[in-house]
Amino acid sequence: MVMSVWDDEYGISVHARHQTTKENISEILKGFQRDEDTNGYEILRVKGWDYPALVETYQKASSIARTEHIPVLIHVQELTQPQGHSTSGSHERYKSKERLEWETEFDCVAKMKEWMIANNIASEEELNEIDKASKKEVLDGKKAAWAAFTTPIKAEQQELVGLLNSIAAGSPNKVFIEKHANDLASIKEPIRKDILTTARKVLRLIIQESGKDQLATWIEGYFAKIQPKFSSHLFSESNKSVTSIEEVKPKYDNSAEEVDARLVIRDNFDAIFSKYPEALIFGEDSGNIGDVNQGLEGMQEKYGEFRVADAGIREATILGQGIGMAMRGLRPIAEIQYLDYLLYAIQIMSDDLATLQYRTQGRQKAPLIIRTRGHRLEGIWHSGSPMGMIINAIRGIHVLVPRNMTKAAGFYNTLLEADEPALIVECLNGYRLKEKMPTNLGEFKTPIGVVETIKEGSDITLVSYGSTLRLVEQAANELESFGISAEVIDIQSLLPFDINHDIVKSVAKTNRLLVIDEDVPGGASAYILQEIVENQKAYKHLDSEPQTLASKAHRPAYGTDGDYFSKPSVEDIFEKVYAIMNEVNPTKYPSLY
């Protein structure tokens, strides 16, 4: 790889002396320079205004990278900023008179002209003609591009103006409608906001009139036509989207043994690497020791260091590498050791990965799978569950929260047939729990966006996911002995969320809802509640206030007691449900406190 640092000595308006030690990035990176005895980068420096030196330097860099397979860093120095950092500001505000004079003298275009004249490549007159012709070509191209952009908008403008004048003719609000139409028609270069704003304001004037339906239909049709120009392809719209992959249930033979759950995930990875030669996994402790929970035990020995690899403790870099690999056609699984550490990579996930399909209208994809583990443990740095932060930062990436390793393995199998990125959060305290070993490893698939009813009930719907779900199941069983029948639903997938709207069907039966998770109050539980009550319209079926039970606002405290007093416990869940039922029938369920 050849990397370029284009250095104009400024970061926005701040000079390099405030940005970089020694004011020189290549000087700082000298320790990375390779020598005869050690690996490293080849670091080259060149002046940005010196065209022949640039050509020579890049040819040298290309030869080193391609023939020796050595990364090369080119530090391109003494560059100018013709207009400063952006056209919205002026570099005269932060550059000295001497610096501005130097930039005029050493402007790259001016220096290129000098070199071409000095080497008899072209005369000054010829270059001036080229300059003149180039400016005309750019201006003509600008005009053509602007016309191509504005022409359909102007047609939409005229269409609406005609419709409004037609409606105005038979309206008691004719004067006001015609004013809106005339104001819109007078805009020489309208944008679509102008068009829709006008239409929607007129709609208010004719709520009780015959033209209302016609205008409302036009507005709805306009939204249907135009909104996709701004909002399409957040997720894949191809036939390989995650929701197009059919569920395949795990199969078991009659002698299926109960094993440590980490063996299920390990053996499924074995099947994956055997089935998909383009699949690989890398990350913190993924290689030599087979990950911290032994879910990759023996995989590096079997498939080699290139496909099962260790990486340094640098989460943002791991994500960046994974994105690059996925864009080049590989199927990487990037491992971040703990969910808490994902926060170091959130910016890369949010800005680069989550937006890739959206900002390219589906023309670029990076189906990277991010593997991590989280939720319940005992300690402030390894037991966080910041799911609300995550799901609100990475829309465009699927967020999957399996309750056990079989479900997790099924998610990996599903995603490897799809063309979308996803985050899988395995249960940190689930690797030593017992699960049956499926016989169709690498083949069974957990559906994405589909909930699962773990226990049926009639009095209240309990919704949760991940490690907390086991506590919910235990509490539900204890509630049975008090005559309370709780239905337990495993969300499984936070993004997308319950695409079949199965949770509202449960609420329609029980008429009560409690969401339990171990994020902070107002975190993932608030998102889940909105999905159910607002988007699925469960409010229509509720006889009691919908409620949430989350962790305390602080990070989990240390030890088993820290977990108990920080996150929802079986007793917390039991008492929360009991209190809801006490409100329903105080006689049958007298107050506990």
Side-chain angles (χ1 to χ4, degrees):
M1 178 187 289
V2 176
M3 299 163 282
S4 300
V5 176
W6 301 88
D7 188 356
D8 60 10
E9 297 185 18
Y10 286 84
I12 311 179
S13 67
V14 181
H15 192 267
R17 64 179 172 272
H18 303 298
Q19 306 268 6
T20 314
T21 306
K22 299 185 179 182
E23 300 183 29
N24 189 316
I25 191 68
S26 56
E27 191 69 22
I28 296 172
L29 296 174
K30 271 186 175 179
F32 288 93
Q33 174 66 50
R34 64 171 177 158
D35 55 37
E36 293 181 359
D37 301 318
T38 59
N39 295 326
Y41 294 179
E42 184 67 27
I43 300 176
L44 306 175
R45 297 177 184 172
V46 63
K47 291 178 172 56
W49 49 264
D50 189 343
Y51 175 71
L54 281 167
V55 172
E56 180 183 348
T57 301
Y58 273 88
Q59 287 176 337
K60 180 180 179 181
S62 177
S63 176
I64 292 171
R66 288 176 174 172
T67 60
E68 301 180 50
H69 302 290
I70 298 295
V72 183
L73 175 72
I74 302 176
H75 185 189
V76 186
Q77 300 173 285
E78 295 191 16
L79 288 169
T80 62
Q81 286 183 317
Q83 293 182 306
H85 175 70
S86 73
T87 55
S88 62
S90 170
H91 57 166
E92 285 84 358
R93 294 166 56 197
Y94 54 86
K95 289 178 182 174
S96 66
K97 177 184 176 184
E98 292 75 19
R99 171 71 190 196
L100 292 169
E101 290 174 349
W102 178 87
E103 291 202 7
T104 300
E105 181 182 354
F106 283 84
D107 177 82
C108 295
V109 176
K111 283 293 182 182
M112 184 75 174
K113 285 183 178 180
E114 290 179 10
W115 177 78
M116 292 177 75
I117 293 168
N119 287 275
N120 296 317
I121 295 171
S123 67
E124 185 171 1
E125 291 75 17
E126 289 173 318
L127 292 176
N128 287 339
E129 283 299 316
I130 292 172
D131 189 50
K132 182 179 178 181
S134 297
K135 287 179 179 177
K136 183 179 185 305
E137 183 180 353
V138 170
L139 185 60
D140 289 345
K142 173 188 172 184
K143 289 178 179 177
W146 186 244
F149 175 72
T150 57
T151 297
I153 299 177
K154 288 179 179 179
E156 294 158 12
Q157 173 196 35
Q158 293 169 6
E159 180 186 1
L160 179 61
V161 169
L163 175 60
L164 295 183
N165 285 328
S166 172
I167 292 172
S171 172
N173 288 296
K174 177 180 179 181
V175 173
F176 302 105
I177 297 172
E178 286 182 340
K179 183 179 186 309
H180 281 295
N182 293 336
D183 287 346
L184 178 60
S186 69
I187 302 175
K188 292 183 178 180
E189 292 187 337
I191 59 176
R192 289 187 164 107
K193 176 188 174 185
D194 298 325
I195 296 170
L196 259 181
T197 297
T198 300
R200 296 167 87 177
K201 286 185 182 300
V202 171
L203 185 66
R204 304 172 193 171
L205 299 174
I206 58 173
I207 294 175
Q208 303 294 333
E209 299 179 22
S210 59
K212 179 253 187 184
D213 290 343
Q214 186 180 7
L215 182 56
T217 299
W218 188 93
I219 292 172
E220 290 172 343
Y222 193 78
F223 267 117
K225 173 185 172 184
I226 301 302
Q227 189 68 53
K229 294 179 182 292
F230 299 91
S231 301
S232 70
H233 292 88
L234 179 60
F235 295 100
S236 174
E237 298 183 14
S238 78
N239 59 4
K240 290 187 176 181
S241 68
V242 296
T243 53
S244 69
I245 308 300
E246 294 290 331
E247 178 183 12
V248 177
K249 294 185 179 297
K251 296 178 181 178
Y252 304 94
D253 59 31
N254 293 331
S255 59
E257 59 177 325
E258 296 263 339
V259 298
D260 284 350
R262 61 109 186 165
L263 296 177
V264 175
I265 204 88
R266 182 200 67 181
D267 290 1
N268 194 75
F269 277 131
D270 190 4
I272 283 172
F273 297 138
S274 177
K275 181 179 180 180
Y276 298 100
E278 68 275 25
L280 67 152
I281 190 166
F282 68 103
E284 295 155 342
D285 291 319
S286 303
N288 185 45
I289 69 168
D291 90 38
V292 288
N293 298 100
Q294 296 291 278
L296 292 166
E297 179 190 23
M299 294 298 103
Q300 186 180 81
E301 183 179 354
K302 184 171 182 179
Y303 293 100
E305 293 185 6
F306 285 111
R307 294 188 65 194
V308 183
D310 285 310
I313 305 174
R314 45 180 187 267
E315 288 77 11
T317 300
I318 290 171
L319 259 293
Q321 289 174 310
I323 293 169
M325 291 178 189
M327 291 184 74
R328 293 302 296 271
L330 297 173
R331 294 308 310 263
I333 302 170
E335 179 162 335
I336 304 298
Q337 192 165 93
Y338 295 112
L339 184 59
D340 305 69
Y341 302 166
L342 193 74
L343 304 190
Y344 293 102
I346 281 287
Q347 186 263 330
I348 306 297
M349 294 172 68
S350 181
D351 283 2
D352 297 303
L353 182 56
T355 64
L356 182 62
Q357 290 188 104
Y358 169 74
R359 55 191 159 90
T360 64
Q361 202 175 18
R363 289 188 288 270
Q364 289 186 320
K365 296 176 183 289
L368 172 63
I369 300 173
I370 303 149
R371 180 193 188 206
T372 190
R373 50 193 66 80
H375 312 313
R376 297 272 170 167
L377 197 63
E378 298 176 356
I380 189 168
W381 303 122
H382 294 71
S383 7
S385 189
M387 300 309 300
M389 179 198 305
I390 291 168
I391 59 179
N392 286 306
I394 63 171
R395 301 295 172 97
I397 300 173
H398 298 299
V399 178
L400 311 177
V401 282
R403 67 179 182 272
N404 59 37
M405 298 307 143
T406 303
K407 291 290 183 179
F411 278 139
Y412 290 109
N413 298 339
T414 299
L415 289 167
L416 284 165
E417 291 196 3
D419 62 357
E420 302 188 69
L423 167 68
I424 299 178
V425 185
E426 297 169 14
C427 293
L428 185 50
N429 62 358
Y431 295 102
R432 302 294 173 183
L433 300 178
K434 300 299 181 183
E435 296 181 33
K436 286 185 177 181
M437 180 67 75
T439 58
N440 56 338
L441 293 164
E443 302 298 332
F444 64 88
K445 300 175 186 68
T446 307
I448 291 174
V450 178
V451 303
E452 182 177 352
T453 300
I454 304 302
K455 175 186 176 297
E456 294 195 354
S458 56
D459 292 325
I460 188 169
T461 299
L462 307 182
V463 177
S464 191
Y465 61 90
S467 296
T468 302
L469 193 78
R470 292 195 292 272
L471 305 185
V472 174
E473 287 184 86
Q474 184 178 339
N477 291 332
E478 294 180 7
L479 286 162
E480 288 286 349
S481 63
F482 285 77
I484 299 172
S485 175
E487 185 144 298
V488 178
I489 297 179
D490 180 7
I491 294 169
Q492 299 196 106
S493 167
L494 287 167
L495 292 175
F497 185 91
D498 188 15
I499 59 177
N500 297 323
H501 287 197
D502 288 325
I503 296 176
V504 71
K505 297 168 190 172
S506 172
V507 175
K509 176 176 63 173
T510 67
N511 308 119
R512 279 170 280 280
L513 172 66
L514 174 63
V515 174
I516 308 103
D517 89 320
E518 53 184 280
D519 195 1
V520 295
S525 57
Y527 159 78
I528 295 165
L529 203 62
Q530 185 200 26
E531 285 286 338
I532 300 169
V533 175
E534 183 178 330
N535 293 346
Q536 297 188 12
K537 297 183 170 29
Y539 69 89
K540 297 179 180 179
H541 308 289
L542 289 169
D543 292 336
S544 297
E545 174 191 5
Q547 297 192 39
T548 63
L549 177 60
S551 294
K552 297 294 186 287
H554 52 73
R555 286 288 188 105
Y558 180 74
T560 302
D561 274 354
D563 176 82
Y564 188 83
F565 286 95
S566 301
K567 295 190 174 188
S569 65
V570 173
E571 289 72 34
D572 291 331
I573 300 165
F574 179 99
E575 292 179 4
K576 186 80 167 180
V577 173
Y578 190 90
I580 293 171
M581 299 307 297
N582 164 256
E583 181 187 43
V584 174
N585 190 337
T587 303
K588 186 175 181 181
Y589 307 107
S591 176
L592 287 171
Y593 296 99

